[in-house]
Amino acid sequence: MTDDPRLAAARYRAAHSDEAEDDEATAPTPPGSQAARAYSAADRAAVVETAIQQAIRRGEFDDLPGAGKPIPGLGETHDPDWWIRRKIETEQLTGLGPPALMLRVENAGLEARLDGLGHETDVREAVEDFNRRVIEARRQLLGGPPVVTPTRDVEAELAAWRGRREARAASIAEETDAAPPRRPWWRRPRG
């Protein structure tokens, strides 16, 4: 018994701490403990990683749409409304936006829309409806860009519509006069 008492105490502590660790390892961990959560999270991560690696080996990730292409929108500034903008682009939705901007767009294409109408009463109603919506948008205090779209004079628009209609009719008449009349198919010479 010539051993150093400090060495004997260290051996005793080491032997008993190994037994305590073995007891903790075999004892079931309570479900709410940190060790159980860490073990299950690590276990789940390992299972997911294994499944991904097996799918890669089977070739399930080959020929995916967008393979080799950059991810759209990656690296741009943060936009909290990115999802609605993408939905509008993919669905090609129109007619969405503040009234001031929608009226500007409609004002730019109003002549073309009026030219598609066939009667003066329809043209008059379309211009009056446009003017009513412009005035209503000016009265609204919803925010957004200011409404700078001018109202249209109904009589001036009708006169311009008549002038464009007569010009189209004259150009069509010139085209038909310049072209020789065609014979019906049953009177054409065979050959």
Side-chain angles (χ1 to χ4, degrees), residues 98-108 129-130 133-138 147 149:
L101 298 180
M102 299 307 300
L103 288 170
R104 286 183 201 172
V105 171
E106 188 176 350
N107 186 35
D129 178 55
F130 175 76
R133 287 185 286 121
V134 168
I135 293 168
E136 183 179 321
R138 287 180 184 164
V147 180
T149 307

Side-chain angles (χ1 to χ4, degrees), residues 9 16 33 37 46 53 59 67 73 76 82 96 110 118 123 141 143 154 171 174 179 183 186:
H16 286 293
S33 72
R37 274 188 246 133
Q53 292 301 324
E76 294 178 0
W82 65 269
L96 302 173
L110 188 62
V123 173
L141 297 175
V154 177
S171 67
E174 289 176 5
R183 292 183 186 173
W186 61 87

Side-chain angles (χ1 to χ4, degrees), residues 50-123:
T50 304
I52 290 172
Q53 292 301 324
Q54 289 174 352
I56 289 172
R57 286 189 206 109
R58 287 192 304 263
E60 292 180 10
F61 295 127
D62 297 345
D63 301 326
L64 288 176
K69 297 178 185 172
I71 299 172
L74 189 65
E76 294 178 0
T77 60
H78 175 68
D79 182 15
D81 298 327
W82 65 269
W83 60 275
I84 191 70
R85 292 182 199 282
R86 185 171 297 161
K87 188 68 170 176
I88 289 171
E89 289 172 5
T90 57
E91 298 291 327
Q92 297 176 350
L93 299 174
T94 58
L96 302 173
L101 298 180
M102 299 307 300
L103 288 170
R104 286 183 201 172
V105 171
E106 188 176 350
N107 186 35
L110 188 62
E111 286 86 12
R113 190 174 128 223
L114 294 177
D115 288 344
L117 301 175
H119 299 289
E120 285 188 20
T121 57
D122 295 337
V123 173

